[in-house]
Amino acid sequence: MAKETIKATLWGALVTSALAILIIVGSRNLAHFDAALVGYTFAVLFATFGITYRYAMWLQRPPTALYWKRGWQVFFRPRHLSRNLAQWFGRVTGEFALNRFIFRRSKSRWAAHWLIMWGCVMAMAITFPLVFGWIHFETLPEDIHWYRTYIFGFSTFAFPIHSIFGFMIFHGLVWASILVIAGVMLAMRRRMRDHGAAALQQFGEDFLPLILLFAISVTGLMLTASYSWMKGYGYDFLAILHAITVIFTLLWLPFGKFFHIFQRPAQLGVGFYKDVGERSAQAQCRRCKEAFASRMHVEDLIKVEQQLGFKYEIDDATEHYQWICPRCRRSMLALAQGREWNEEVKR
Amino acid sequence: MAVPRHNQFFIDPNRCIGCQACVQACSECDTHKGHPMIHLEYVDRAHSVQTVPVVCMHCEAPTCAEVCPADAIKRTEDGVVQTARKPRCIACNNCVLACPFGVPEMETELKLMMKCDMCYDRTSVGKKPMCATVCPSQALFFGTMEEIERLRPRSTPINQFKFGRQIIATKVHIMIPKTGRAAYIDVTAAMDERSMGKDITLMILDEMLDVRG
């Protein structure tokens, strides 16, 4: 087995074991663990292993490894730390909570993504702690109309069951489903009408995630409809159907489009790397003498290219093709072709 | 759908007249609406009118994809290197700096790299890319190998390029003289080459002087 694979397998095993231990500890030796949800738990544990394995493999690719290392280095550089911390909060809000960069790409794309993202975040924040037995509710001995919330087995706040707060809490997954379904509808509309999307989209990469999210949301809503208005009609069947959709999605999480959820935070590290690069020494094109990138970036890229086996070294004062700016590269293509024709004229 | 194998892209920068029609047409493409992805570069603006249209050359082993930390650039089975996948691109700029032809563009505000994808919405259904459709001088030509051989009897297409010690093979071809028999175009060897306008002008003047003399 390759060294990278062994490393990724060990990381996967470590993180999965840590989560398993947290489930046992957080549910107080499984005292608050709901055995009916065991299928979900094992699916999450599998997904954790898969995601960690893929993430660890991804981090070992030369360009990713370098950015990972540099991202942390530039973030904690004492000279830039206070500014970086301030920017971190701004970026987490603007880029992650609000998805501002997607808004600039397209408003309909943003609306779809934002609704799906917050629907999924809400749903995960509710279901994962419940499945792991980290949160449970108990009625108060003195008043059965009140619930007390226990987090990791510790007693916290109490609230009346038949209150607006109680209604909102216990229907949290309904609100999440509505957000997700609205987002999926917008995304599906774009995929069916946009010519550009139609040319590039693939079933597994682009439609399957939407179908899965829709299936989870609709079967979840059907459960609520069954016990709220239909006296539990078909509840057992619906519960199994819902479990199948969720478990399939969890198992597929490490392999498909949803993996971008775990890759996206790299954007933060890249942001700090670029900021520090802009404030540092610049690389001058060795042909036109214009600055075109940070010196750090060019030097790092040369290392990455060498690790990948590219041989862009030049045997003169230019040293490496990476020291030529993109504009000069475009011009040089024309000049190189012109050179062939000039030689033809001379012949 | 895939780009039919018999259809190839041929570029002859010598024929470019700098009319910008390709730039305007490119921004009409459905996969990158409103953003022209073709570069129409002035080779030496101060001294020459020489221009070059640069589209993605669709390398067989794309450096841009290899250096992408987010694995956002994919090559289709028919050899078209796609623009960055929107969910994955983290706007690091590696591809922009690494592409040997200087093709990808960074849209910093969108946190997205964009580049020519050979009008995949069109070429995958058998149509021509927008730029090749409108190019009046046919500096950008999309068609079969037989067509280009018939239309340009003095030229031959080549798709191997040398940068330093690295040779890159591409899906897109550049037209060079048939008699040259070069195995590749040595791009870095043209580092100090002067723009064509200067040389041609001087050569024409020389010839005129010879005739008069």
Side-chain angles (χ1 to χ4, degrees):
Chain A
M1 204 187 281
K3 203 177 97 188
E4 291 83 8
T5 317
I6 294 170
K7 211 170 164 184
T9 309
L10 288 175
W11 270 110
L14 184 73
V15 175
T16 312
S17 309
L19 179 63
I21 291 166
L22 279 174
I23 292 171
I24 292 166
V25 173
S27 62
R28 299 290 172 107
N29 275 338
L30 306 180
H32 306 130
F33 185 82
D34 186 348
L37 304 177
V38 72
Y40 291 102
T41 310
F42 277 102
V44 173
L45 287 170
F46 176 84
T48 306
F49 178 82
I51 290 161
T52 314
Y53 176 87
R54 187 171 169 193
Y55 199 82
M57 288 298 280
W58 178 58
L59 281 189
Q60 291 178 83
R61 290 187 60 231
T64 325
L66 194 99
Y67 256 121
W68 172 260
K69 197 173 107 189
R70 281 277 186 271
W72 291 110
Q73 275 175 352
V74 297
F75 185 80
F76 286 111
R77 210 175 268 182
R79 207 150 42 98
H80 305 291
L81 188 59
S82 53
R83 192 198 290 218
N84 286 348
L85 279 170
Q87 278 179 333
W88 186 86
F89 285 104
R91 282 182 181 159
V92 167
T93 311
E95 291 176 18
F96 291 86
L98 299 175
N99 291 165
R100 246 184 232 148
F101 64 101
I102 305 179
F103 185 80
R104 292 187 200 107
R105 289 178 187 179
S106 146
K107 290 179 182 60
S108 67
R109 184 188 282 271
W110 170 81
H113 189 271
W114 198 82
L115 289 167
I116 292 173
M117 183 191 83
W118 278 110
C120 291
V121 168
M122 259 177 83
M124 285 191 290
I126 294 167
T127 49
F128 281 33
L130 285 173
V131 166
F132 298 159
W134 290 349
I135 291 183
H136 74 281
F137 303 96
E138 284 180 18
T139 47
L140 296 186
E142 63 276 17
D143 186 350
I144 59 163
H145 298 293
W146 278 68
Y147 263 157
R148 182 168 294 287
T149 313
Y150 290 84
I151 301 175
F152 295 114
F154 296 106
S155 170
T156 61
F157 63 95
F159 59 92
I161 298 167
H162 300 291
S163 61
I164 293 175
F165 182 76
F167 182 80
M168 294 302 285
I169 287 273
F170 292 122
H171 290 82
L173 288 177
V174 172
W175 318 134
S177 299
I178 292 170
L179 291 180
V180 170
I181 290 171
V184 167
M185 290 289 118
L186 288 172
M188 203 58 110
R189 180 178 183 272
R190 196 182 71 81
R191 296 226 160 264
M192 289 193 286
R193 293 168 64 110
D194 188 301
H195 292 169
L200 304 171
Q201 64 204 6
Q202 297 160 353
F203 178 80
E205 187 68 15
D206 300 302
F207 282 104
L208 187 60
L210 295 175
I211 293 168
L212 287 173
L213 291 174
F214 184 76
I216 291 173
S217 306
V218 167
T219 52
L221 285 179
M222 283 159 81
L223 281 171
T224 308
S226 169
Y227 71 70
S228 302
W229 302 311
M230 298 164 78
K231 298 177 182 168
Y233 178 78
Y235 191 87
D236 290 346
F237 169 73
L238 289 173
I240 291 170
L241 194 62
H242 183 65
I244 289 170
T245 60
V246 175
I247 290 168
F248 182 83
T249 308
L250 286 169
L251 299 183
W252 186 70
L253 211 53
F255 308 104
K257 189 174 192 171
F258 291 136
F259 192 70
H260 82 270
I261 299 164
F262 308 98
Q263 287 181 312
R264 177 58 62 186
Q267 189 168 307
L268 281 172
V270 162
F272 294 117
Y273 181 81
K274 284 166 100 171
D275 288 346
V276 170
E278 273 172 27
R279 298 196 288 269
S280 313
Q282 296 298 294
Q284 278 190 329
C285 172
R286 295 197 175 163
R287 183 170 175 270
C288 69
K289 314 298 177 205
E290 295 283 332
F292 67 99
S294 76
R295 198 179 169 86
M296 172 174 72
H297 198 167
V298 172
E299 284 169 349
D300 283 346
L301 210 44
I302 289 173
K303 273 184 223 154
V304 167
E305 284 173 359
Q306 284 166 346
Q307 284 170 357
L308 291 167
F310 286 109
K311 297 181 182 72
Y312 283 113
E313 289 79 8
I314 300 174
D315 301 320
D316 63 24
T318 313
E319 293 176 47
H320 197 279
Y321 189 61
Q322 207 54 63
W323 292 109
I324 304 295
C325 73
R327 198 192 160 281
C328 280
R329 293 178 198 182
R330 296 192 287 269
S331 297
M332 280 162 60
L333 183 63
L335 292 172
Q337 190 233 12
R339 193 164 174 258
E340 298 289 332
W341 283 102
N342 284 345
E343 279 171 17
E344 163 80 357
V345 171
K346 284 176 200 162
R347 276 195 288 269
Chain B
M1 297 292 254
V3 179
R5 292 177 74 88
H6 57 270
N7 280 342
Q8 308 268 346
F9 205 153
F10 305 94
I11 304 175
D12 191 346
N14 257 350
R15 285 178 162 244
C16 181
I17 55 171
C19 69
Q20 302 266 354
C22 55
V23 177
Q24 301 305 323
C26 183
S27 63
E28 298 283 327
C29 182
D30 267 332
T31 53
H32 49 82
K33 296 174 199 76
H35 298 268
M37 289 294 116
I38 190 166
H39 298 268
L40 186 70
E41 207 64 67
Y42 286 95
V43 176
D44 182 3
R45 189 74 170 108
H47 302 102
S48 160
V49 293
Q50 188 185 0
T51 50
V52 54
V54 183
V55 297
C56 177
M57 300 297 285
H58 300 283
C59 305
E60 284 175 13
T63 312
C64 61
E66 291 288 328
V67 301
C68 175
D71 214 6
I73 304 170
K74 297 286 177 193
R75 187 169 175 266
T76 57
E77 281 177 19
D78 48 5
V80 174
V81 182
Q82 298 287 356
T83 193
R85 291 207 174 160
K86 292 183 180 74
R88 290 196 185 180
C89 181
I90 52 174
C92 70
N93 228 33
N94 265 11
C95 53
V96 175
L97 294 179
C99 170
F101 299 97
V103 168
E105 288 185 41
M106 182 51 63
E107 300 286 341
T108 311
E109 285 289 291
L110 311 182
K111 300 271 181 241
L112 184 66
M113 176 282 270
M114 293 173 81
K115 71 166 199 64
C116 155
D117 59 3
M118 211 194 261
C119 286
Y120 204 66
D121 58 322
R122 294 173 59 81
T123 50
S124 61
V125 292
K127 293 181 183 173
K128 293 180 178 189
M130 293 296 280
C131 56
T133 311
V134 300
C135 182
S137 62
Q138 294 289 274
L140 299 154
F141 182 85
F142 192 78
T144 63
M145 200 59 89
E146 293 73 33
E147 280 176 309
I148 199 79
E149 277 169 5
R150 183 168 46 80
L151 289 166
R152 318 268 169 92
R154 288 180 58 216
S155 310
T156 191
I158 193 164
N159 67 342
Q160 306 266 339
F161 302 87
K162 191 163 182 259
F163 306 91
R165 293 176 215 151
Q166 182 68 46
I167 291 181
I168 298 283
T170 63
K171 184 178 172 70
V172 177
H173 296 76
I174 293 267
M175 303 306 291
I176 58 162
K178 206 167 208 168
T179 49
R181 292 191 296 271
Y184 51 77
I185 294 184
D186 193 342
V187 179
T188 34
M191 183 99 68
D192 303 318
E193 201 76 15
R194 295 196 306 169
S195 60
M196 205 183 284
K198 281 181 187 169
D199 287 338
I200 284 178
T201 310
L202 291 174
M203 282 164 66
I204 290 168
L205 283 175
D206 288 344
E207 281 166 16
M208 283 169 69
L209 289 171
D210 286 347
V211 171
R212 283 180 191 166

